[in-house]
Amino acid sequence: MEKKTIQDYKDIINQKKWDAHNISWLYIDVNAKALLDEIEPKVSNITICCKAMMEMMLEGDRFVELPRVKSRIGGALTVRYYCDNLSPQRRKYSEVENG
């Protein structure tokens, strides 16, 4: 069985964001370990999962919990994605964070 890619995880997260948006939820919290267990149970793919989660962050989204490592890669990674405004005009979190 092939492991999921960053793009696979980005697509899954995007779908979760749109599902939440369509039922008028303000935000969703996504935890890396829970997402990995949901999508690829018993597969060691946390790095790809976490990288995709961070790439999907937009301006205004925030970290709820960070792993205790500088890379931010770990099962504890939890991101709050705001779903009320999924406009393509929102800048990526990395663009805002880095100025």
Side-chain angles (χ1 to χ4, degrees), residues 1-10 12-13 31-54 72-77:
M1 182 176 154
E2 249 184 69
K3 288 184 178 182
K4 300 281 186 205
T5 65
I6 287 180
Q7 189 58 53
D8 291 332
Y9 274 99
K10 286 170 70 172
I12 290 162
I13 294 163
N31 170 269
K33 184 180 182 321
L35 182 62
L36 185 64
D37 288 347
E38 175 189 341
I39 305 303
E40 297 184 282
K42 298 181 172 59
V43 174
S44 175
N45 205 9
I46 197 73
T47 300
I48 295 300
C49 179
C50 290
K51 286 183 177 181
M53 286 176 61
M54 288 186 280
R72 298 179 176 167
I73 303 294
L77 178 67

Side-chain angles (χ1 to χ4, degrees), residues 14-48:
N14 198 44
Q15 185 61 53
K16 287 181 175 292
K17 289 166 67 171
W18 276 103
D19 289 348
H21 174 80
N22 289 334
I23 56 174
S24 300
W25 286 7
L26 178 60
Y27 64 85
I28 56 171
D29 290 345
V30 178
N31 170 269
K33 184 180 182 321
L35 182 62
L36 185 64
D37 288 347
E38 175 189 341
I39 305 303
E40 297 184 282
K42 298 181 172 59
V43 174
S44 175
N45 205 9
I46 197 73
T47 300
I48 295 300

